[in-house]
Amino acid sequence: MTVFKKVALGALMGTTALVASQAAHAQAADEIVVRGSRIPDEKRATSEISAVLDEEAFVRTGDSDIASALSRVTGLSLSEGKFVIVRGLNERYSSVTIDGSPLPSPEPLRRVPPLDIIPTSILSGSLVQKTFSPQFSGEFGGGLVELRTKSVPDENYFQIGLSVGLDTATTGQDGLTYDGGSTDFLGFDDGARDIPQPLADAFFGRNGLNFDPAQQNVIDASLDSKQTTVIFEDTIPPAYGVSLALGGYRDLSDDITVGANIALGFDNDFQTREGRREQGFTTTAANSSTRAFEDAGLSIPNTAFSGDFISTSQTVGLNGAATFGVEIGDNHEIKSTNLILRSTLKDARITRGIDGDDESLEVFQENFEFFERQVWQTQLRGEHVFPELADLGVTWRGAYGRAFRDAPYQRQFRRIRDSINGEFFFPFGVNEDFDNDAATITFSEVEDENIDAGIDFVLPLTIAQQAADVKFGYAYTDKERTSSVREFFYEVGSLGSVPAQALFARPDVLVSPGVAGSDALDLTFTTNPIALDNADSSLRVHAGYGQVDFELGPYLRLAAGVRYESGEQVTEAFATGTPVSSFTRTVIDEDYILPAATVTWNPIGDLQVRAGFSQTITRPQFRELTPATFLDDDTDQLIIGNPFLLNTEINNFDIRTEYYLARGQFITLGAFYKDITNPIEVTSTQIGGAEAQTYVNAPSAELYGLEFEYEQNFVLGDWFEGDFWQSRDLIFKANYTWSQSDVSSDGDVITANPSLAGPITPTVTPGAGFIVDGRSLQGQSDHLFNLQLGLENADTNSKATLLVNWASSRIRQTANIITGAPDVVERPPVLVDFVWSRDLETFGGDWEIRMAVRNILGEDYEATQTFADGTSADFDVYSLGREISVGLTKRF
């Protein structure tokens, strides 16, 4: 059992059954001391350092998904537009729950769900807690994001909405697409991408790769050759979305009320990106331009690639939420929450450039992708207070959820030409270096299952005339994940050559039954002991905790407790072609005692100071432990896991001063420090001479910073005379975070050593061989800044808000000490948005109209590498358009 410096104190969050607890304390105390105005505010009431978003905040910023909304919280930023980074620690170090239960994830590289698929329309708000409380999961590095669904409504309602939007870089412009299926616009495949039965029988485990060679042509001819093989240009239409929400309640008796909320949403969005990628360079980027192709003596480092690309993606979102609740008197509530979140991405991409395997050849590459992601979960939750048991509060929950990601018919076609004025052709039998990459197809699938259960007790007591809440509880989590990848490539068949006319033809002709279904080409399964294409993973955690929140005096409060957590994480993987010799199994079985303590001091009036200490952990994600090669579809980079990763252990120190001006209005200044042992970092490696990414435990790291936030509403009628100003308020919100991090190479790291001859073995190497000492943590920005400047009219319920969101540069990919390649540094765009909404009483009803303009400055995305010789490579650079949207909602 691993023990984190056994400390007998821990922090807790004292919001459960808060009203009942305060009532009990008031009845038992001999004296009530009133100090300051005691402004009601959840941020203030909790014993922890936190931030709160409510429905009003969602309306003011106009953010349609919770990922965008969270990016405006102090100390938070986004990675890839869907994963939250809390205080410079990426999603690996943070937890996300919905009504207390974690969601399963459809992401192949991550155990947490992408937040861009969770619409704000189904939520009543969100809590971001930055200091650990023992009632939450011990995997708490950066913080906890707790999403809250809507409860039983207090009135009946029905509303329907419609929105339309355009992107200046996409809408009305020529973009790329391909046929696919007839129902792609709905986000569902119509069967066009189903795995053909002959292929499934041969390569997907039914016959275990045992098939008659005579069946080769049957298999080859069974694959689609028309709907997933031809990219063409088309004018991109506007984005649009529709939504429906209804709810109500009914009193069954004086003591029993039932109610429901139902929300449905559908949206169809398009985005075209034009950019450049110069990847794989090690010491210089002097020859990264494709224009250098014409220069004599062109020399590009092996495996480097430089080229321009254009892609158009269509994203179809479909979501639904239904909550049903029953309230029994004032002390009992039971709620059922049911969610389905679905997002489908259809992408067509063309890349043209130079590949370092042979710098005399120009490459023309086409990619076809279709990703279906879906999450569903059902939860039953109850909250009870028992006055006859000294106002004991009991909260229980049980949840079951599943997620999947299906990526069928991921096609890639790569053609080359050996002269500037020549014609591109498929290099079968002409250039061995490009043979296996000329035409490939991949099928992959991830399935995730999640079971969560827990019960929490809160007992309000009075000890020595001081109020105290005693908390204790139990939690159980069971996560199961299976994933599979089947990669195929076309090679010259028994005929010995491919017809010349097919080499210069379109992809649909090359893989047609007449060519691929003959002996000219054979579809070949990619397999070797290193390419582990099957993985099964599980994580089971039993946890119990105890904590006390009590007053040490009229102005001092201590929240203290400890969590015991026992977790077993198992990851198994093997290659389909060699299931026995390639089998690997990793087990991390650790127990932890995780203490925490937070002291809150109220020296004067509405000023309070918090200071906290806690110890937490972070476990490796499933894919990070799986020693299988995997292509990241977002970056086109090769990734391999490391089965020898260890859990990360973190000591957390926090202090914050808070001054409350009114409800929801405050000034805060805080500082934090984290001492991290065995942080998990991404580093570079080589697989068969190809550049790839892998994961290692750095020996240690430090993270520290300052946070400032100021939020206040100003009544303009107090500043200016006249009826125009009397109902108008100025809303000002600003926050800034400064942080620094240092990763130490002082120690050893363990890497995986794949071998064709046997099982994967560990290699212990000095940290200095992989890690640049003193560099920043991956994903950590030195500066984060948010500004909201709004004008609101209470009479018309109109809101106009200018929003600014900025995160400074950060490391996207760490330096490769072996090859000398420097860090890849990304510079997220500075986003300036304007959002306006207003209620209208016209045309016989209650309407709301909304307008938003996003990325007003027209900022682009940049990720670059700067080399020692002063040259710079555009590792991943692409344009982002300005977005304009209008929405209309009718309430009945």
Side-chain angles (χ1 to χ4, degrees):
M1 179 175 70
T2 302
V3 178
F4 259 29
K5 299 178 184 176
K6 291 187 179 178
V7 176
L9 301 179
L12 74 161
M13 180 178 174
T15 56
T16 306
L18 181 61
V19 175
S21 174
Q22 291 175 338
H25 298 329
Q27 293 172 2
D30 295 332
E31 179 183 6
I32 298 177
V33 177
V34 178
R35 189 176 192 188
S37 58
R38 299 305 302 169
I39 299 162
D41 192 296
E42 182 180 355
K43 180 206 292 275
R44 180 175 186 170
T46 176
S47 61
E48 304 302 328
I49 294 175
S50 62
V52 178
L53 294 175
D54 55 19
E55 286 186 87
E56 184 179 355
F58 298 153
V59 173
R60 181 176 292 117
T61 61
D63 295 314
S64 59
D65 62 82
I66 191 61
S68 300
L70 289 171
S71 69
R72 308 189 191 281
V73 175
T74 310
L76 273 64
S77 61
L78 289 181
S79 170
E80 301 175 29
K82 55 189 175 182
F83 299 107
V84 67
I85 299 173
V86 183
R87 289 177 164 178
L89 295 174
N90 59 37
E91 82 289 338
R92 177 193 298 109
Y93 296 94
S94 300
S95 301
V96 178
T97 64
I98 189 160
D99 288 340
S101 296
L103 284 170
S105 173
E107 290 294 317
L109 291 175
R110 294 170 174 89
R111 200 167 56 223
V112 297
L115 298 183
D116 63 328
I117 67 173
I118 303 177
T120 54
S121 59
I122 69 173
L123 303 174
S124 64
S126 174
L127 169 74
V128 179
Q129 186 166 311
K130 300 177 184 178
T131 53
F132 174 58
S133 180
Q135 74 222 56
F136 295 123
S137 168
E139 291 199 67
F140 193 108
L144 168 82
V145 177
E146 183 179 72
L147 307 179
R148 299 165 174 174
T149 59
K150 298 178 179 180
S151 299
V152 174
D154 53 12
E155 62 180 14
N156 299 328
Y157 67 93
F158 175 76
Q159 64 184 42
I160 186 169
L162 175 67
S163 64
V164 62
L166 62 89
D167 183 321
T168 57
T170 303
T171 310
Q173 309 292 323
D174 287 338
L176 305 179
T177 188
Y178 63 95
D179 284 337
S182 61
T183 57
D184 285 0
F185 73 101
L186 295 175
F188 293 88
D189 179 54
D190 65 354
R193 299 177 180 86
D194 288 349
I195 301 172
Q197 194 64 45
L199 180 67
D201 288 340
F203 292 102
F204 284 79
R206 301 180 188 181
N207 293 337
L209 298 182
N210 295 317
F211 65 97
D212 189 332
Q215 294 178 294
Q216 179 74 54
N217 291 340
V218 176
I219 294 172
D220 297 344
S222 69
L223 286 164
D224 169 70
S225 59
K226 296 180 180 180
Q227 293 172 289
T228 61
T229 55
V230 179
I231 292 177
F232 58 89
E233 286 190 350
D234 199 4
T235 302
I236 304 301
Y240 63 90
V242 294
S243 63
L244 176 71
L246 68 154
Y249 76 98
R250 183 173 181 179
D251 294 326
L252 300 182
S253 68
D254 292 340
D255 294 325
I256 301 177
T257 300
V258 297
N261 292 285
I262 298 175
L264 300 172
F266 174 84
D267 57 83
N268 199 333
D269 193 16
F270 302 86
Q271 185 176 56
T272 296
R273 290 178 174 176
E274 291 190 59
R276 183 167 180 79
R277 286 175 175 166
E278 299 170 353
Q279 301 177 355
F281 297 93
T282 56
T283 58
T284 182
N287 295 317
S288 62
S289 172
T290 53
R291 290 187 298 271
F293 176 69
E294 302 178 31
D295 298 340
L298 176 66
S299 177
I300 296 179
N302 190 36
T303 76
F305 175 83
S306 60
D308 300 311
F309 73 90
I310 178 173
S311 70
T312 300
S313 60
Q314 177 184 12
T315 304
V316 181
L318 179 64
N319 59 78
T323 59
F324 305 96
V326 56
E327 296 177 352
I328 305 173
D330 296 329
N331 297 322
H332 304 279
E333 180 180 2
I334 298 175
K335 184 172 74 169
S336 170
T337 303
N338 307 275
L339 301 171
I340 183 166
L341 310 169
R342 183 180 175 88
S343 178
T344 301
L345 176 71
K346 179 181 180 180
D347 186 78
R349 183 170 70 257
I350 291 177
T351 306
R352 184 169 173 174
I354 302 172
D355 193 293
D357 284 335
D358 189 339
E359 62 269 16
S360 66
L361 300 176
E362 192 172 4
V363 178
F364 183 85
Q365 181 173 301
E366 297 169 280
N367 288 86
F368 305 75
E369 294 173 339
F370 187 81
F371 305 109
E372 293 179 274
R373 300 182 299 169
Q374 181 173 296
V375 176
W376 70 265
Q377 181 160 289
T378 182
Q379 184 201 64
L380 191 63
R381 178 185 176 94
E383 298 183 13
H384 313 273
V385 176
F386 299 95
E388 65 277 10
L389 298 177
D391 287 315
L392 174 68
V394 180
T395 301
W396 55 268
R397 70 181 186 277
Y400 176 78
R402 295 183 68 92
F404 75 81
R405 175 189 180 271
D406 190 17
Y409 277 90
Q410 284 182 261
R411 285 192 180 275
Q412 175 180 294
F413 294 97
R414 178 177 288 185
R415 286 175 274 188
I416 64 173
R417 68 177 182 181
D418 52 11
S419 68
I420 294 299
N421 299 316
E423 188 175 354
F424 285 101
F425 62 91
F426 291 104
F428 290 107
V430 179
N431 189 307
E432 293 182 358
D433 291 337
F434 289 86
D435 252 12
N436 293 350
D437 294 329
T440 66
I441 185 170
T442 303
F443 299 83
S444 64
E445 188 173 33
V446 175
E447 292 189 4
D448 210 50
E449 181 182 66
N450 187 68
I451 298 173
D452 175 75
I455 187 167
D456 303 283
F457 300 89
V458 180
L459 181 63
L461 299 174
T462 301
I463 302 174
Q465 298 186 345
Q466 299 296 331
D469 283 342
V470 177
K471 291 188 175 185
F472 54 96
Y474 167 79
Y476 172 74
T477 301
D478 186 345
K479 295 177 179 286
E480 302 274 354
R481 167 171 289 203
T482 61
S483 62
S484 64
V485 181
R486 298 291 184 271
E487 297 180 352
F488 303 88
F489 64 93
Y490 287 90
E491 64 179 354
V492 178
S494 58
L495 189 63
S497 64
V498 179
Q501 60 269 32
L503 295 180
F504 290 89
R506 297 187 321 188
D508 57 328
V509 175
L510 178 75
V511 298
S512 66
V515 179
S518 68
D519 292 326
L521 283 177
D522 286 343
L523 187 72
T524 304
F525 183 49
T526 303
T527 182
N528 61 62
I530 296 178
L532 310 185
D533 49 17
N534 303 272
D536 295 298
S537 305
S538 66
L539 172 64
R540 292 179 179 86
V541 179
H542 294 270
Y545 72 92
Q547 52 189 20
V548 179
D549 186 354
F550 59 96
E551 297 177 0
L552 299 177
Y555 315 124
L556 194 64
R557 175 183 176 187
L558 174 64
V562 66
R563 181 180 184 89
Y564 170 77
E565 195 161 288
S566 174
E568 182 183 51
Q569 186 168 354
V570 180
T571 300
E572 298 176 340
F574 64 91
T576 299
T578 54
V580 177
S581 61
S582 64
F583 178 81
T584 69
R585 188 172 193 266
T586 300
V587 179
I588 300 177
D589 189 355
E590 296 280 359
D591 296 351
Y592 291 93
I593 293 177
L594 304 172
T598 300
V599 176
T600 303
W601 177 40
N602 180 212
I604 56 172
D606 295 310
L607 177 71
Q608 65 183 26
V609 181
R610 304 180 192 272
F613 166 75
S614 63
Q615 294 176 323
T616 56
I617 63 168
T618 295
R619 297 180 175 92
Q621 301 187 90
F622 291 142
R623 173 57 71 175
E624 294 171 347
L625 283 170
T626 306
T629 54
F630 183 82
L631 186 67
D632 187 337
D633 301 306
D634 293 325
T635 63
D636 287 335
Q637 290 183 278
L638 196 63
I639 293 174
I640 185 169
N642 180 358
F644 307 107
L645 292 176
L646 306 173
N647 290 345
T648 301
E649 301 176 351
I650 308 172
N651 290 325
N652 308 280
F653 301 85
D654 291 90
I655 186 169
R656 186 168 78 175
T657 300
E658 307 164 354
Y659 183 73
Y660 290 88
L661 307 166
R663 182 170 186 175
Q665 303 178 53
F666 46 80
I667 300 174
T668 72
L669 177 63
F672 59 89
Y673 172 80
K674 296 179 183 292
D675 182 15
I676 309 172
T677 303
N678 295 325
I680 300 171
E681 287 281 281
V682 180
T683 188
S684 299
T685 187
Q686 296 278 328
I687 300 178
E691 184 80 10
Q693 301 297 297
T694 190
Y695 308 92
V696 297
N697 287 111
S700 64
E702 291 181 316
L703 173 66
Y704 51 92
L706 300 173
E707 294 178 336
F708 169 79
E709 53 187 342
Y710 171 41
E711 299 188 8
Q712 189 169 4
N713 301 347
F714 300 95
V715 180
L716 295 182
D718 296 340
W719 294 1
F720 307 101
E721 296 181 357
D723 294 339
F724 178 82
W725 302 104
Q726 297 309 306
S727 61
R728 286 172 168 80
D729 291 349
L730 176 68
I731 311 299
F732 182 85
K733 297 185 177 184
N735 61 66
Y736 169 74
T737 303
W738 171 85
S739 63
Q740 293 283 294
S741 61
D742 297 286
V743 179
S744 173
S745 63
D746 186 13
D748 294 331
V749 300
I750 303 176
T751 59
N753 182 27
S755 173
L756 296 174
I760 294 175
T761 57
T763 300
V764 180
T765 307
F770 282 89
I771 298 166
V772 177
D773 191 64
R775 68 160 171 80
S776 300
L777 287 163
Q778 185 184 21
Q780 179 258 320
S781 295
D782 289 351
H783 308 280
L784 301 175
F785 175 74
N786 284 286
L787 172 67
Q788 296 183 34
L789 188 63
L791 183 65
E792 299 187 357
N793 187 335
D795 289 344
T796 60
N797 195 26
S798 66
K799 296 179 174 65
T801 309
L802 181 70
L803 302 132
V804 180
N805 176 263
W806 173 59
S808 65
S809 59
R810 59 199 182 197
I811 295 176
R812 168 174 151 174
Q813 178 177 311
T814 60
N816 188 328
I817 292 181
I818 298 174
T819 64
D823 292 328
V824 176
V825 177
E826 67 174 350
R827 296 169 181 83
V830 179
L831 297 179
V832 178
D833 306 332
F834 177 76
V835 179
W836 175 81
S837 66
R838 175 175 174 164
D839 287 351
L840 298 173
E841 294 287 343
T842 185
F843 296 108
D846 183 8
W847 299 80
E848 181 192 37
I849 186 170
R850 303 178 306 280
M851 183 188 74
V853 184
R854 308 284 185 183
N855 192 23
I856 294 174
L857 300 181
E859 290 274 295
D860 298 331
Y861 175 84
E862 293 183 1
T864 61
Q865 284 179 297
T866 301
F867 297 85
D869 64 358
T871 59
S872 178
D874 291 335
F875 189 87
D876 193 8
V877 175
Y878 52 83
S879 59
L880 295 171
R882 296 173 177 88
E883 299 177 14
I884 303 172
S885 63
V886 177
L888 186 65
T889 299
K890 176 68 169 68
R891 305 187 185 100
F892 298 90

